[in-house]
């Protein structure tokens, strides 16, 4: 559970950038932001004043930093797996080509 709730707008030493980014991309937070902004005829948006009033959960900075570190680790693993998958696809395509060309 977060220690405090804080307003979002403006740089804060108590907010890790990656934590804030992922929090704002969370489906529940997106829904909340859309409710605050209202569904207009042409766009959905919140004003600066509404953003300044938005309260978000703020866990201790150490927990936010650990979250950011783990997120970065997971992202690196995902990138590594994507690269491996591309290499496997390339090798499989080469193997298929050789098999159908009668080279095996």
């Amino acid at each position: 559970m977060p220690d405090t709730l804080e307003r979002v707008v403006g740089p804060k030493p108590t907010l890790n950038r990656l934590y804030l980014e992922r929090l704002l991309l969370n489906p529940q937070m997106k829904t909340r932001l859309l409710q605050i902004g209202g569904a207009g005829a042409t766009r959905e948006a919140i004003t600066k004043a509404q953003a300044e009033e938005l309260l978000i959960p703020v866990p201790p900075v150490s927990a936010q930093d650990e979250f950011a570190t783990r997120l970065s680790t997971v992202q690196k693993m995902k990138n590594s797996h994507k690269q491996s998958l591309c290499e496997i696809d390339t090798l499989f395509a080469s193997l298929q080509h050789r098999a159908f060309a009668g080279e095996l």
Side-chain angles (χ1 to χ4, degrees):
M1 194 69 177
D3 285 352
T4 61
L5 294 175
E6 290 189 18
R7 291 185 181 6
V8 173
V9 175
K12 307 250 186 240
T14 56
L15 279 176
N16 180 291
R17 179 186 64 80
L18 287 174
Y19 166 77
L20 179 60
E21 175 186 341
R22 290 300 170 155
L23 178 67
L24 293 174
L25 291 174
N26 177 286
Q28 292 174 332
M29 182 60 77
K30 281 183 171 182
T31 299
R32 190 167 152 207
L33 290 168
L34 290 172
Q35 289 170 345
I36 290 171
T42 57
R43 67 183 178 104
E44 298 167 337
I46 62 172
T47 65
K48 182 178 183 247
Q50 288 170 320
E52 288 172 343
E53 294 302 315
L54 179 65
L55 295 175
I56 63 165
V58 181
V61 174
S62 61
Q64 294 177 54
D65 290 343
E66 182 178 341
F67 171 82
T69 299
R70 289 181 183 203
L71 179 66
S72 177
T73 300
V74 168
Q75 195 61 43
K76 287 177 186 173
M77 289 172 63
K78 284 171 64 175
N79 290 340
S80 175
H81 286 104
K82 283 181 185 177
Q83 182 178 357
S84 294
L85 185 58
C86 285
E87 290 172 12
I88 289 170
D89 285 344
T90 300
L91 289 171
F92 182 70
S94 173
L95 183 61
Q96 275 185 316
H97 175 76
R98 291 176 57 200
F100 286 115
E103 298 174 7
L104 292 180

